[in-house]
Amino acid sequence: KLGMGVAGSALATVFSQYSICGLLLYSCHTLGTLPRLLPVVPLKELLGLASFAGPLTLLTAIRLCQLMILTFYANMLGTVSLAAHQIIVAIYILINSIGEPLSQVNQTMLPKYLNDGLEHSPSQALKLVKKVLLTGLGLGFLQACMIGFLSFFTPGLFTKSEAVILQMKKLAPPLFATMQLSAILFTTEGALLAGRRYKTLLSTNIVASVGMLGMMKLYVDLNYGLASIWYAYCGQQIIRISGALREIFYDDGFLKSEKAMQ
């Protein structure tokens, strides 16, 4: 109503973030967990935090860059493709968040079975990872059905443009495959994070990103359309999952290696 356009959306987002931050600070103050004075953190503790948070920050940056690359090539395909892509990305991020707890389950429950854990047991660690992986397969299928249904059967809920609706319908197959793999990816990479296998995570993510970049450039040059770059995004997920599964389940994987050391 104010006619602010895209700037109004950005301002609304900023306002919501400040509102959430204020509510969290008030909640911490009510619970008595908010310090009156910020303590001076020793340099040794800062270095320890950096050694843990640094790789995680880099991983997050790489994954954000992957979505940025996806959007960049969607933009090169024209305004209709970009409009369909922006709608799909919003739906993808929303449904994808349902699978994130799978990663957190491995990160919170797996460390107690590893080397420094109170209940050191590689066999139990393997059982836990397998259970969460099976859960991820089922949850991923449910998520894939959700995004496939929204993309193919109900695109009219998000736009009235017939051209954009047609593009969204074409995206249903790659979106189904991508979402199915997403839950598995949360599970496997969550296990690697629990085992602090940052080197494997970083290397597979970098290789997957480079491969995705090359495939997307080729597909756009050949004018294969928007669905092709989502297939390329699906391809980088396969690379990341393959690297994670090898690190976990192969004979020289970190869980099998620990079992051999017992």
Side-chain angles (χ1 to χ4, degrees), residues 244-261:
L245 289 176
R246 187 189 186 286
E247 184 71 14
I248 296 170
F249 292 112
Y250 275 41
D251 291 336
D252 58 346
F254 78 96
L255 291 182
K256 292 294 185 68
S257 298
E258 286 193 0
K259 191 173 182 179
M261 291 171 61

Side-chain angles (χ1 to χ4, degrees), residues 16 23 37 39 50 57 63 99 106 131 142 152 176 183 224 236 241:
S16 67
L23 289 171
L37 296 174
T57 303
R63 291 166 187 171
N106 272 338
K131 286 180 181 179
L142 178 62
F152 191 82
F176 185 94
Y224 280 176
Q236 64 86 22
I241 291 172

Side-chain angles (χ1 to χ4, degrees), residues 194-211:
R196 298 189 179 184
R197 291 306 191 266
Y198 302 133
K199 184 177 180 180
T200 301
L201 280 167
L202 288 172
S203 60
T204 53
N205 271 270
I206 291 172
V207 170
S209 298
V210 173

Side-chain angles (χ1 to χ4, degrees):
K1 290 184 178 181
L2 296 177
M4 299 180 67
V6 177
S9 300
L11 287 173
T13 303
V14 171
F15 177 76
S16 67
Q17 293 292 326
Y18 274 96
S19 300
I20 292 170
C21 183
L23 289 171
L24 288 173
L25 288 173
Y26 177 77
S27 179
C28 290
H29 176 72
T30 304
L31 296 172
T33 56
L34 189 66
R36 294 184 178 180
L37 296 174
L38 292 176
V40 178
V41 182
L43 180 60
K44 185 177 180 180
E45 292 186 15
L46 282 175
L47 292 175
L49 178 62
S51 66
F52 176 75
L56 296 182
T57 303
L58 185 57
L59 278 171
T60 303
I62 291 173
R63 291 166 187 171
L64 288 174
C65 285
Q66 290 172 348
L67 285 175
M68 289 173 63
I69 292 170
L70 191 62
T71 303
F72 171 77
Y73 281 109
N75 184 49
M76 292 180 66
L77 294 172
T79 54
V80 173
S81 293
L82 180 60
H85 170 76
Q86 294 289 22
I87 295 171
I88 288 301
V89 165
I91 299 172
Y92 175 81
I93 292 173
L94 176 63
I95 298 177
N96 194 41
S97 64
I98 300 174
E100 191 170 352
L102 294 172
S103 175
Q104 295 171 2
V105 166
N106 272 338
Q107 291 181 60
T108 54
M109 297 182 65
L110 196 58
K112 68 180 180 181
Y113 297 127
L114 301 180
N115 273 333
D116 300 328
L118 297 175
E119 305 175 29
H120 177 60
S121 175
S123 60
Q124 289 296 324
L126 275 172
K127 288 180 181 179
L128 174 63
V129 173
K130 289 177 180 178
K131 286 180 181 179
V132 180
L133 187 57
L134 288 174
T135 304
L137 286 170
L139 182 60
F141 180 74
L142 178 62
Q143 291 175 278
C145 289
M146 290 170 62
I147 197 167
F149 179 84
L150 290 173
S151 176
F152 191 82
F153 292 104
T154 63
L157 293 176
F158 309 99
T159 179
K160 299 301 181 184
S161 170
E162 292 297 329
V164 175
I165 288 174
L166 181 61
Q167 284 289 341
M168 291 178 66
K169 288 185 176 182
K170 290 180 180 178
L171 287 176
L175 287 173
F176 185 94
T178 301
M179 191 58 74
Q180 175 67 75
L181 292 172
S182 182
I184 302 173
L185 192 60
F186 275 126
T187 302
T188 54
E189 291 196 341
L192 293 186
L193 286 170
R196 298 189 179 184
R197 291 306 191 266
Y198 302 133
K199 184 177 180 180
T200 301
L201 280 167
L202 288 172
S203 60
T204 53
N205 271 270
I206 291 172
V207 170
S209 298
V210 173
M212 182 188 74
L213 182 63
M215 286 190 292
M216 286 185 181
K217 187 178 188 309
L218 176 64
Y219 293 156
V220 170
D221 289 344
L222 295 175
N223 198 26
Y224 280 176
L226 183 60
S228 66
I229 66 173
W230 274 93
Y231 277 119
Y233 187 79
C234 181
Q236 64 86 22
Q237 287 184 312
I238 294 174
I239 295 173
R240 289 162 61 189
I241 291 172
S242 299
L245 289 176
R246 187 189 186 286
E247 184 71 14
I248 296 170
F249 292 112
Y250 275 41
D251 291 336
D252 58 346
F254 78 96
L255 291 182
K256 292 294 185 68
S257 298
E258 286 193 0
K259 191 173 182 179
M261 291 171 61
Q262 281 192 314

